[in-house]
Amino acid sequence: MHGVPPPWTDSVTRTGVQQDRSEIYFMNKQTYTTRSGVQQYRPVMTEEEYRTGHDAGVGLCLACGEGADNGVEPDARLYLREARGQRKVYGLEELLLMALVVLKDPDPSGP
């Protein structure tokens, strides 16, 4: 699994998220522009990937599109991304409620 992304990483960019320090999951992301003109990121995933990420405590920094430094609660809002010094990390459940998670159909040609 090291160095080989899973089949759903066909998007433009991906973010690595770690669970239990042994399994690595990747999250596709896409950019969008806020009403105030700021470019941010949102996750793109299947329902299965959402459930896996939710259970793993995945969070996403809207400012840089990277995963949270540590696991976060599903309803996390404005957590600090220490690497950037910004409070833009949200849990997956919160992002879903904010309509910022793009759910896609699973790839029928995948495993």
Side-chain angles (χ1 to χ4, degrees):
M1 181 174 207
H2 297 287
V4 178
W8 63 82
T9 57
D10 56 316
S11 176
V12 176
T13 55
R14 63 185 182 271
T15 300
V17 180
Q18 195 169 11
Q19 175 187 4
D20 298 330
R21 302 186 189 274
S22 61
E23 294 184 51
I24 298 176
Y25 297 94
F26 289 94
M27 182 186 337
N28 293 323
K29 58 189 174 185
Q30 67 180 206
T31 59
Y32 71 99
T33 304
T34 66
R35 289 184 215 158
S36 61
V38 176
Q39 185 177 7
Q40 294 192 141
Y41 295 87
R42 62 181 162 207
V44 178
M45 58 184 53
T46 65
E47 287 183 45
E48 182 180 336
E49 292 166 355
Y50 173 82
R51 283 192 294 274
T52 301
H54 180 277
D55 293 344
V58 171
L60 180 77
C61 178
L62 298 180
C64 67
E66 295 298 318
D69 297 325
N70 298 307
V72 299
E73 290 88 15
D75 62 347
R77 301 190 88 191
L78 300 172
Y79 277 28
L80 178 65
R81 170 96 168 107
E82 292 182 20
R84 295 189 52 99
Q86 293 182 311
R87 293 192 170 274
K88 290 279 196 165
V89 174
Y90 289 79
L92 281 184
E93 187 175 300
E94 192 65 27
L95 291 171
L96 184 66
L97 292 172
M98 295 166 57
L100 290 178
V101 173
V102 177
L103 292 175
K104 66 177 184 172
D105 291 328
D107 183 9
S109 64

